[in-house]
Amino acid sequence: MVVLPYTVAFLLLSFLQTVKITNSQSFIGINYGQVADNLPPPSSTAKLLQSTSIQKVRLNGSDTAIIKALAKTGIGIVIGTANGDIPGLASDPNFAKSWINTNVLPFYPASNIILITVGNGVMTSNDQNLMNRLLPAMQNVQNALNDASLGGKIKVSTVHSMGVLKQSEPPSSGSFDPSYGDLMKALLEFSRANGSPFAINPYPYFAYRSDTRPETLAFCLFQPNAGRMDGNTKIKYMNMFDAQVDAVYSALNSMGFKNVEIVVAETGWPFKGDDNDVGPSIENAKAYNGNLIAHLRSMVGTPLMPGKSVDTYLFALYDEDLKPGPGSERSFGLFKTDLTMVYDFGLSTSSQESSFLRK
């Protein structure tokens, strides 16, 4: 039996722990938005991502340069069709086939495309024509994937805002807006039949903006707080993220779809904003993202979905300087365009390793 010196054994154990944690973090992703004119080249971004434990990237569109740059990195890629493409995708199966032929087949499997999102926020757009065409568009994209023998490998979904819920407090009473009725049920039946996730955008930041009490801020930032009791389940929630995700789970369960996987397509916190913006700061953004990552790594799950972490895509990789609206809309980036961190949020592999060596 070979006995390793203590230092060598300790470093080896630390390395194995690092590898284990890094490899187990496939549930942590990031949004790579492009509403900007100052972004670094996709090749530089690919190298940046490989220096972190981020293993999934969500694009709002299907930028071929980015998809190519991520080839052979093993990073899972979510690509999306624009809302404006939905009528064409719905009415013409050949358009859906052409979209797959252009945006998927030339790059897969070297580029690890895992999910196609058809539209974003369609259900809360108040565009009835778009809403009615959403499911046929998703079906045609799914059929095009099936025809290319990729149906079981790449999933098809759409992304919802939390506005699809009629009620979210307490979490056990979560329910969808009944005005969506049969359409929401049909979307969920599509998800169940194809093993596709229900993608949702919970933002505790927006919840805090409508209730700016200090105890609400602590609840939103995963900081010490008194918690909030769900009177129906007698479960005490200690953070807003779990409460929002469980409200979605309850809504799915109430319609008989509790086994449809939930994916958090976006969540984040801005690090700066306009003078009248409430909540943005480096301190708050670092607390939210850092504590969320720690929460996901713990694998504790949510009270209604214990023992696993939902796939969660942080918002966002970079600031998007051309976005309209308040300053906070342009200040969600975790990295600057010179590839340095805005603040240390705990996902670089070097900071991960050093944290082990400090133990």
Side-chain angles (χ1 to χ4, degrees), residues 167-178:
Q167 187 166 340
S168 60
E169 292 183 33
S172 62
S173 67
S175 60
F176 292 114
D177 190 320

Side-chain angles (χ1 to χ4, degrees), residues 64 67-68 70-72 74-79 100-116 145 148-155:
T64 55
I67 296 170
K68 281 182 181 177
L70 293 172
K72 299 181 181 178
I75 293 171
I77 307 167
V78 179
I79 61 175
I100 295 298
N101 287 344
T102 301
N103 297 292
V104 177
L105 297 188
F107 314 111
Y108 185 88
S111 295
N112 184 26
I113 299 167
I114 57 174
L115 177 65
I116 298 170
L145 285 172
S149 300
L150 294 176
K153 298 171 183 175
I154 300 174
K155 304 298 184 182

Side-chain angles (χ1 to χ4, degrees), residues 31-55:
N31 282 265
Y32 185 172
Q34 295 166 268
V35 188
D37 61 4
N38 60 348
L39 298 179
S43 57
S44 300
T45 297
K47 290 176 183 175
L48 171 67
L49 288 167
Q50 288 179 286
S51 73
T52 75
S53 53
I54 295 166
Q55 298 204 6

Side-chain angles (χ1 to χ4, degrees), residues 20-236:
K20 182 180 178 183
I21 284 196
T22 301
N23 289 341
S24 69
Q25 286 173 3
S26 60
F27 45 79
I28 298 177
I30 199 161
N31 282 265
Y32 185 172
Q34 295 166 268
V35 188
D37 61 4
N38 60 348
L39 298 179
S43 57
S44 300
T45 297
K47 290 176 183 175
L48 171 67
L49 288 167
Q50 288 179 286
S51 73
T52 75
S53 53
I54 295 166
Q55 298 204 6
K56 293 180 180 178
V57 170
R58 177 182 167 228
L59 310 178
N60 276 326
S62 54
D63 187 286
T64 55
I66 296 172
I67 296 170
K68 281 182 181 177
L70 293 172
K72 299 181 181 178
T73 62
I75 293 171
I77 307 167
V78 179
I79 61 175
T81 76
N83 286 1
D85 287 333
I86 289 174
L89 291 168
S91 61
D92 185 0
N94 287 325
F95 180 54
K97 186 174 182 179
S98 174
W99 197 94
I100 295 298
N101 287 344
T102 301
N103 297 292
V104 177
L105 297 188
F107 314 111
Y108 185 88
S111 295
N112 184 26
I113 299 167
I114 57 174
L115 177 65
I116 298 170
T117 56
V118 178
N120 191 356
V122 172
M123 295 294 282
T124 49
S125 68
N126 295 319
D127 185 330
Q128 199 63 46
N129 181 54
L130 209 57
M131 291 166 65
N132 291 337
R133 290 172 180 245
L134 177 59
L135 180 58
M138 292 169 65
Q139 290 169 330
N140 281 342
V141 171
Q142 182 68 58
N143 290 337
L145 285 172
N146 293 345
D147 290 344
S149 300
L150 294 176
K153 298 171 183 175
I154 300 174
K155 304 298 184 182
V156 178
S157 187
T158 188
V159 180
H160 303 285
S161 77
M162 288 291 286
V164 296
L165 296 185
K166 177 71 172 179
Q167 187 166 340
S168 60
E169 292 183 33
S172 62
S173 67
S175 60
F176 292 114
D177 190 320
S179 67
Y180 301 136
D182 293 340
L183 177 53
M184 181 61 79
K185 184 179 181 183
L187 288 171
L188 293 173
E189 286 172 344
F190 173 90
S191 291
R192 180 161 64 189
N194 294 287
S196 301
F198 185 83
I200 192 81
N201 294 346
Y203 275 92
Y205 166 67
F206 293 122
Y208 170 65
R209 284 206 317 187
S210 62
D211 176 8
T212 57
R213 293 174 297 166
E215 57 266 35
T216 300
L217 182 61
F219 188 67
C220 290
L221 296 180
F222 299 85
Q223 292 175 334
N225 66 92
R228 297 184 180 181
M229 182 68 73
D230 185 324
N232 299 324
T233 59
K234 306 306 178 188
I235 292 170
K236 181 181 280 190

